[in-house]
Amino acid sequence: MVKRLLNQPPDPAFDPFKRQPTLSTKGWDSALSRLVRRVTNGVTEEEMKLAHKLGFNGYLNYHLQASKIEDGACQAWVGQNAPLLGSAPEALYSLDQRIPMDQLIASSVYRAAFSKRQLHERLVEFWSDHFNIEYEKVRYLKLGDDRDVIRKHVLGKFPDMLKASAHSPAMLEYLDNTRNRRTTLNENYAREIMELHTVGATGGYSQADVRELARCFTGWTLAGRGNFNFDPNGHDFGEKMVWGQRIPALPASSGVQGKTDADTMIEFLVKHPKTAEYVSFKMLRFFLQYDPSPTQIAAVASVYTKTGGDIPAMMRAVLTPQNLLAATPKYKRPYTFMLGAMRATLVPSQVAKVDQLSFRYLPLLGQAMYQWDPPDGYPDRADYWAGGVLQRWNFATYITTTNSTEARMDANRFWNATTPASNTPDTVVDAIALHLFGGEMPDRLKALVRGYLAATPTMSLTRTREAIALTLSSATYNWL
Amino acid sequence: MSHDEHDACACDEYNDLTSRRSFLQTSGGLGGAALFAWAYPEWLPKVSFADSFAGERDVIVSIFLRGGADGLSLCVPFGDPLYYTGRPTIAIPRPDSSSANRAIALDNFFGFPQGMRFLVPAYQAGHLLVVHGAGLTYNTRSHFDAQHFIELGKANDNSVNTGWLGRHLATTSPMKNAASLRAITIADGLAETLKGAPRALPIADPANYGISGSGSTRAERQAWLGLEWGESIDPAKTAASDALNTINMLRNLNVAGYQPANGAVYPNTGLGRGLRNSAALIKADIGVEAVHLDIGGWDTHTQQDPLAGSMNGTMTQLSGALGAFWQDCIASGLTQNVTVVVVSEFGRNVRENGSRGTDHGRGTAMFAMGRGINGGRVLTNNWRSLSQENLADRQDLPVSIDHRDILAEIVQNRLGNANLGVVFPGYVPVIRGVTKPNA
């Protein structure tokens, strides 16, 4: 099946580059190459070789069983550079809040760039947007959310992640449920759990449902320095009617029993067909293409329903060879673009820290981490990001020329310093193709890069750096 | 980008910014069409372009208050005792109170809180119009839906996927035919309001917009990028071509050295810097005819405190920046006229919640400012007391003026575009006398 698809030229009707007949339709446009581009934060020689060795299904399975992938070097780096990630709130609250934030962001960038569990890291990005929390509002609580909600369930079941999120101190604080009490209703979380986390804005609920759901969530708050706590004194024990679901009144003496009002509604929401649809739509949009078809959404949603929201099973339904061959291109977000450039040019063992990349360049590129204020997560739309090309071009120049130890390009990948005379436009283009595209670089781009290199009478490392920067800056590289 | 980032970018060309004069002298050779021909989007309806509206059309500055700004704090109905009943801890005291936080009366019913004080001169000069009870008539309390629908100019219609201001620009001829940049969002991403506009770019800092790396290969690399991106797909393809053209144009403008007129001092805030840069681009007369800016911080579910705390701070930022822009560009009079519009996605509940905040509501206040605006008043439509039976869902200031009424009149009378059916499809606006005839 896989072999047949690889040997078969893609259906021209589905070819997103059909208006560009000069583009290669070999390797680059195969289902396997498209899969590698979508499950990683940037194609590398190693990743492409692995994909060809394991085949389509084998490669996807490999990434969907992330815990089996040996990742010791990355884990060691994180352990050394971000020791606070496992800490309880009691150990974090009194620190200068920039310290836990720096450790969280730097380790997230490092893992996303250099972990071998690439799809796992892409899913962390996806779910961190789905359950977006702005760091500044919740500070150290975000570390627990990243660990116990996102990373814990990223390849598990969606209902478990949603439940963890509903109990997450960071989420309760971010969406103000800590202030949602019997006498002083606050609707913020009740609205967003429906609109953004489960059924979507067109799910069919009303403003009255939002208020009634908010009543169910009264008393869900925090204790101590940031641990989940249900406070019966803040709970409204009266009867609620949420979206046709009657939540019967309880005696005020029921105490912690009152928590079941919202637990019941969470169960209702995860089983709602609109949740299956909305979560499937978002996964398809993030991993496949901007405007998935109703058929594609229905196919993934049926997997959600059958498997109880099993994320790996849904991913298999998103990333089918058919879907990939038919997919229209996606424009990389700045984060993905930066990570790809890092993977193509840096040697992980030589990257001591990622501070400049995380704290200066991501904001310049427009996607400062965990700083998206509204709860809908960073936009996943080409038109939002399209205008930021100049920042990408300048970042490409930075990463190929800087002498900083955290981003010093591994020139040996592209340039033979021992025998400089052996470097030719062809050897450099081949090296760029290998390290930026896993060898599957479109012919038109190859020709343009070769032309830039051949425009001067002698080869130089300086011009080679410019050629790499231009390739990273190219339209081809910036579209998935 | 702040100044200390120049070195890291190796942006040597930032040091050779030249004056506007040299741009004007060489603009023939730097015109936007030098590198690429841009294509109009396919959906653009065929319209007949007038030769020029120059001198008769205003530049528009559009500001979005993200998060749902509480109109009852932005412009306080101090004449209604029910406003005070609903807000025991966060109401703005009456103008006749002795509190330092008392409202500044705009008329005998409405007033500005102290946070909005920097807009009082514009109001008194008759250049600032407050429109109260304005907003989206479509009933949603979702930030994202409401922002989306306001920016698109139509609610819940999948066939409308460009912004109202984008469609305005797409259906008018450029003020300057050679302009490489007609519209900008002062941000890292293009606002949906401008989606669909030809020659529109997000530029967070127009003073630092250039390609880094060696000066000796810059032109060659730019040409390479133009060629490579020339066969990409939209929206990135067009954005790249606009970026390349704009780099050439802005390199020759001294935006960083801009001196505001009339003693105006812009606050050093995001909006203050953004409006200062907007003024520089407008006065440079390079064909920029629409600028969009955002200011967040209005989602005041908790600790709203419009007297001294969070919302007071946000309002002070808004009025300080807009007040400076008024002084710089409107009070003094310009060769180029400017109209400012300020909108938010919705207002907030009349009653405060238990966290000294307010939850999502419906109607709010919007603003229009300019010499062509019939200002110095608070425009309302059938304003009624804030008693429960008069409120939307018994809790919110109702939307009694569709925000499109205000925008459409400005599009038609100040921006010189009669294609209202394209800018606001399927909507027949009520003309409410927001604008003055051209002076």
Side-chain angles (χ1 to χ4, degrees):
Chain A
M1 166 84 169
V2 172
K3 226 179 167 71
R4 186 179 63 79
L5 283 167
L6 282 174
N7 293 336
Q8 197 178 44
D11 179 347
F14 288 136
D15 184 351
F17 298 103
K18 64 188 169 193
R19 279 171 288 180
Q20 301 158 51
T22 50
L23 275 186
S24 163
T25 52
K26 292 178 297 206
W28 165 257
D29 258 342
S30 71
L32 189 66
S33 187
R34 288 175 173 214
L35 178 69
V36 179
R37 292 207 293 277
R38 278 164 170 78
V39 304
T40 66
N41 280 311
V43 184
T44 60
E45 177 188 9
E46 181 189 358
E47 207 59 41
M48 193 60 86
K49 276 186 180 156
L50 186 68
H52 280 286
K53 186 177 138 203
L54 299 176
F56 190 100
N57 290 330
Y59 179 72
L60 185 53
N61 282 334
Y62 164 84
H63 274 298
L64 288 173
Q65 298 173 50
S67 61
K68 294 187 185 167
I69 302 174
E70 195 284 320
D71 206 23
C74 181
Q75 285 158 352
W77 190 96
V78 172
Q80 192 163 8
N81 290 277
L84 292 176
L85 291 189
S87 301
E90 289 71 22
L92 297 171
Y93 80 96
S94 59
L95 298 175
D96 176 340
Q97 288 303 303
R98 285 170 298 186
I99 297 170
M101 180 176 87
D102 287 1
Q103 292 194 8
L104 175 64
I105 292 175
S107 62
S108 297
V109 168
Y110 190 92
R111 292 203 255 215
F114 300 127
S115 168
K116 296 200 186 310
R117 302 169 179 179
Q118 281 286 294
L119 180 53
H120 181 275
E121 295 304 316
R122 289 220 76 206
L123 279 158
V124 168
E125 180 192 351
F126 170 71
W127 291 115
S128 296
D129 275 323
H130 188 83
F131 292 106
N132 183 66
I133 291 172
E134 186 202 17
Y135 188 90
E136 192 183 322
K137 181 159 178 184
V138 306
R139 301 174 300 133
Y140 63 91
L141 297 177
K142 172 72 183 166
L143 273 68
D145 192 89
D146 181 71
R147 180 185 64 229
D148 302 332
V149 178
I150 306 294
R151 289 183 176 274
K152 182 170 177 187
H153 298 290
V154 77
L155 279 164
K157 291 194 183 265
F158 175 79
D160 295 336
M161 195 186 304
L162 180 76
K163 283 171 208 169
S165 173
H167 291 81
S168 164
M171 188 59 84
L172 291 166
E173 180 67 19
Y174 174 57
L175 290 177
D176 299 321
N177 208 73
T178 50
R179 292 155 188 87
N180 181 26
R181 297 176 66 79
R182 174 172 53 86
T183 49
T184 58
L185 214 57
N186 191 306
E187 300 170 358
N188 206 9
Y189 180 65
R191 177 185 313 284
E192 305 306 3
I193 191 178
M194 293 201 283
E195 174 176 338
L196 297 174
H197 300 164
T198 58
V199 296
T202 56
Y205 55 87
S206 69
Q207 167 62 17
D209 296 324
V210 171
R211 286 189 74 81
E212 290 293 284
L213 183 58
R215 291 179 63 212
C216 295
F217 273 107
T218 47
W220 286 50
T221 186
L222 304 185
R225 299 297 177 182
N227 297 293
F228 178 80
N229 179 44
F230 177 75
D231 173 14
N233 293 326
H235 187 66
D236 176 348
F237 286 91
E239 182 184 86
K240 293 109 187 161
M241 186 62 90
V242 197
W243 211 353
Q245 305 300 300
R246 195 178 75 90
I247 305 286
L250 290 168
S253 57
S254 308
V256 295
Q257 180 82 33
K259 177 175 175 292
T260 57
D261 291 357
D263 287 331
T264 305
M265 284 314 301
I266 293 173
E267 287 298 336
F268 169 80
L269 287 172
V270 298
K271 293 201 172 78
H272 200 288
K274 288 282 184 187
T275 298
E277 269 179 36
Y278 184 64
V279 174
S280 300
F281 159 73
K282 285 198 71 179
M283 286 172 83
L284 281 157
R285 186 178 64 177
F286 187 85
F287 286 100
L288 191 70
Q289 66 186 48
Y290 290 115
D291 51 350
S293 70
T295 316
Q296 287 171 323
I297 296 168
V300 181
S302 83
V303 174
Y304 177 103
T305 309
K306 263 184 243 153
T307 62
D310 185 74
I311 293 164
M314 293 171 76
M315 287 301 295
R316 285 192 185 88
V318 170
L319 296 171
T320 65
Q322 292 81 352
N323 278 353
L324 285 162
L325 286 175
T328 50
K330 278 203 70 180
Y331 192 60
K332 287 181 188 176
R333 301 201 298 183
Y335 187 57
T336 316
F337 163 75
M338 186 184 90
L339 296 168
M342 290 169 69
R343 287 167 61 75
T345 59
L346 308 182
V347 179
S349 62
Q350 292 171 16
V351 176
K353 52 188 190 128
V354 288
D355 290 10
Q356 283 269 95
L357 299 168
S358 308
F359 305 118
R360 171 173 283 179
Y361 284 98
L362 264 183
L364 281 180
L365 288 163
Q367 206 178 353
M369 266 191 123
Y370 309 130
Q371 286 166 53
W372 186 255
D373 167 23
D376 58 343
Y378 286 96
D380 195 7
R381 309 193 318 261
D383 64 277
Y384 182 83
W385 299 111
V389 283
L390 178 68
Q391 295 89 324
R392 296 184 189 214
W393 298 341
N394 288 347
F395 177 79
T397 296
Y398 165 77
I399 203 166
T400 51
T401 54
T402 175
N403 204 25
S404 135
T405 51
E406 71 178 74
R408 188 180 294 144
M409 188 181 84
D410 178 22
N412 295 330
R413 291 181 187 177
F414 308 95
W415 180 258
N416 183 336
T418 323
T419 329
S422 69
N423 296 295
T424 67
D426 285 327
T427 62
V428 172
V429 169
D430 285 348
I432 290 175
L434 190 62
H435 294 290
L436 275 64
F437 294 95
E440 298 179 0
M441 177 171 167
D443 291 342
R444 175 174 179 268
L445 181 59
K446 273 189 179 177
L448 285 171
V449 177
R450 188 183 290 109
Y452 188 80
L453 287 160
T456 51
T458 51
M459 290 291 289
S460 70
L461 178 56
T462 303
R463 201 162 178 89
T464 296
R465 288 182 193 278
E466 289 184 341
I468 300 162
L470 286 172
T471 313
L472 292 170
S473 303
S474 67
T476 312
Y477 187 78
N478 278 275
W479 288 90
L480 272 182
Chain B
M1 271 196 280
S2 61
H3 290 276
D4 60 359
E5 276 140 13
H6 290 182
D7 294 337
C9 286
C11 310
D12 49 345
E13 79 282 12
Y14 292 153
N15 301 323
D16 63 29
L17 290 167
T18 48
S19 70
R20 181 186 160 212
R21 185 172 301 277
S22 78
F23 167 68
L24 293 175
Q25 283 164 352
T26 57
S27 60
L30 284 173
L35 280 169
F36 308 103
W38 42 75
Y40 283 92
E42 284 168 14
W43 53 263
L44 178 65
K46 287 190 169 40
V47 292
S48 53
F49 290 139
D51 286 344
S52 172
F53 282 101
E56 291 168 27
R57 271 161 56 177
D58 284 4
V59 170
I60 184 162
V61 175
S62 144
I63 298 176
F64 208 113
L65 314 182
R66 305 269 174 196
D70 179 32
L72 296 175
S73 294
L74 286 168
C75 180
V76 180
F78 65 78
D80 186 344
L82 291 172
Y83 161 74
Y84 293 96
T85 316
R87 298 189 165 194
T89 72
I90 61 165
I92 309 286
R94 292 178 50 91
D96 54 14
S97 104
S98 59
S99 163
N101 295 322
R102 64 183 177 271
I104 304 160
L106 298 174
D107 55 26
N108 60 14
F109 189 84
F110 290 110
F112 274 158
Q114 291 295 325
M116 294 290 278
R117 65 187 176 280
F118 297 114
L119 279 170
V120 171
Y123 184 88
Q124 287 172 342
H127 296 158
L128 176 68
L129 175 73
V130 184
V131 184
H132 222 322
L136 187 70
T137 51
Y138 182 84
N139 188 352
T140 174
R141 285 180 175 77
S142 151
H143 290 296
F144 318 106
D145 276 357
Q147 290 184 15
H148 185 59
F149 296 152
I150 285 184
E151 298 203 77
L152 298 190
K154 189 160 190 204
N156 230 15
D157 179 347
N158 287 334
S159 70
V160 176
N161 53 20
T162 51
W164 67 269
L165 197 45
R167 287 191 301 277
H168 155 66
L169 290 165
T171 53
T172 48
S173 57
M175 280 185 176
K176 289 204 182 311
N177 273 323
S180 65
L181 186 67
R182 291 183 66 193
I184 72 170
T185 302
I186 306 275
D188 293 312
L190 194 70
E192 273 202 301
T193 300
L194 280 170
K195 196 175 160 193
R199 289 174 248 169
L201 279 180
I203 299 180
D205 180 0
N208 285 321
Y209 196 76
I211 195 161
S212 62
S214 160
S216 63
T217 56
R218 184 192 299 126
E220 195 183 356
R221 288 180 291 121
Q222 270 187 234
W224 189 97
L225 289 165
L227 193 62
E228 203 277 338
W229 281 82
E231 290 197 16
S232 181
I233 41 182
D234 272 329
K237 173 185 171 175
T238 303
S241 128
D242 290 343
L244 287 161
N245 292 326
T246 300
I247 287 167
N248 290 336
M249 187 265 291
L250 287 179
R251 280 192 68 220
N252 293 282
L253 275 188
N254 184 8
V255 176
Y258 172 67
Q259 294 297 327
N262 201 20
V265 178
Y266 287 91
N268 190 20
T269 59
L271 189 68
R273 289 187 296 270
L275 280 172
R276 183 181 179 283
N277 285 329
S278 306
L281 292 177
I282 292 165
K283 291 191 187 177
D285 200 19
I286 48 174
V288 169
E289 51 189 301
V291 182
H292 181 92
L293 305 100
D294 287 333
I295 171 171
W298 305 97
D299 193 15
T300 48
H301 285 281
T302 64
Q303 302 304 323
Q304 178 167 333
D305 195 357
L307 291 85
S310 128
M311 190 174 178
N312 175 61
T314 318
M315 289 191 295
T316 304
Q317 285 181 32
L318 173 70
S319 76
L322 269 180
F325 186 80
W326 172 78
Q327 202 174 338
D328 182 15
C329 297
I330 296 171
S332 57
L334 270 178
T335 51
Q336 186 92 58
N337 288 334
V338 184
T339 293
V340 181
V341 293
V342 181
V343 299
S344 188
E345 68 264 37
F346 44 62
R348 311 190 72 85
N349 294 168
V350 170
R351 301 188 72 84
E352 65 180 76
N353 66 20
S355 332
R356 302 194 73 225
T358 47
D359 291 326
H360 301 183
R362 295 294 315 286
T364 186
M366 67 182 282
F367 304 88
M369 186 169 77
R371 295 181 85 83
I373 294 298
N374 189 7
R377 65 203 174 106
V378 180
L379 173 68
T380 58
N381 176 35
N382 190 25
W383 183 276
R384 293 188 289 176
S385 89
L386 299 171
S387 66
Q388 255 189 359
E389 65 274 16
N390 292 335
L391 301 181
D393 296 320
R394 299 179 64 82
Q395 59 180 22
D396 297 315
L397 184 65
V399 175
S400 48
I401 297 178
D402 190 306
H403 69 283
R404 291 172 296 185
D405 294 345
I406 310 305
L407 301 178
E409 186 176 335
I410 288 169
V411 166
Q412 181 178 276
N413 294 350
R414 300 308 315 170
L415 309 187
N417 188 351
N419 295 297
L420 290 186
V422 176
V423 179
F424 294 107
Y427 183 67
V428 180
V430 179
I431 301 300
R432 298 182 184 274
V434 168
T435 58
K436 286 186 211 160
N438 235 344

